[in-house]
Amino acid sequence: MESIEADGSIEGPATSTAIAGLADEQRLDRQRSLTSVDAMSGTGFEDHVAALCRRDGCTEVARVGGGGDLGADVVGRLPDGRRLVIQCRRYATHRPVGSGDVQRFNGTARAEHGADVPVIVTATVFTAPARDFAARHALILIDRDLLGFWQNGTPLTAFLVRPAVDADRPVLQGRDQVPVPVPVSRMPTRAAKRPP
């Protein structure tokens, strides 16, 4: 039986069922849109990521991927002016992005491309060692789950948070990430070193 609460909301089994149904529908929408990503070529995926950046207000966005790109597939500027460098990894859905891929991108994103915000986007998942390395080096990882949200309207800037680091628990990314906003003034720059 439904009841009207003091704040005017309606509570009860039908409302809970409707909310659960909406969540399932949103999950299915993300899944359907990710199926189209799975069918894209590597270049198509890079173009798709560039289009998402433009949609979210990034400027100077260009797809620069190809032979000799040194890890940068999409570059641009965030709405706040910071330089964005993205590496796109469109692997088969069963193949995770490993620590070696993340380490190579870390070696070039800031040094070669001048990234203020280095991001790796994949249509799959990242291994635990890849997530741990990214957390230690302030790299943003957008996995399959986050990509689904990004495609369905969540702005890129919503993902530009650093995961909470606690020595007693592993660093998580994707849907298990604990967002901790980092003020722009405290974001690491190319010359900044993290304290020990």
Side-chain angles (χ1 to χ4, degrees), residues 93-148:
T93 56
H94 66 276
R95 181 178 172 206
V97 177
S99 181
D101 291 324
V102 175
Q103 290 175 34
R104 279 187 292 282
F105 180 63
N106 184 57
T108 61
R110 292 181 181 95
E112 292 292 326
H113 302 293
D116 294 315
V117 180
V119 179
I120 303 176
V121 179
T122 186
T124 67
V125 297
F126 293 92
T127 63
R131 291 190 313 264
D132 292 343
F133 183 88
R136 288 193 311 273
H137 295 276
L139 301 171
I140 304 298
L141 301 180
I142 297 179
D143 63 10
R144 185 174 186 85
D145 289 334
L146 294 178
L147 178 59

Side-chain angles (χ1 to χ4, degrees), residues 2-4 11-12 26 39 57-59 68 74 97 106 111 120-122 127 149-150 153 164 168 177 179 181 186 189:
E2 294 184 341
S3 63
I4 299 178
E11 293 295 323
Q26 289 173 333
C58 295
T59 59
V74 177
V97 177
N106 184 57
I120 303 176
V121 179
T122 186
T127 63
F149 282 105
W150 191 16
D168 296 332
Q177 181 175 351
R186 299 189 65 196
T189 61

Side-chain angles (χ1 to χ4, degrees), residues 19 34 59 133 159 178 180 195:
I19 291 170
L34 288 170
T59 59
F133 183 88
F159 306 122
V178 178
V180 178

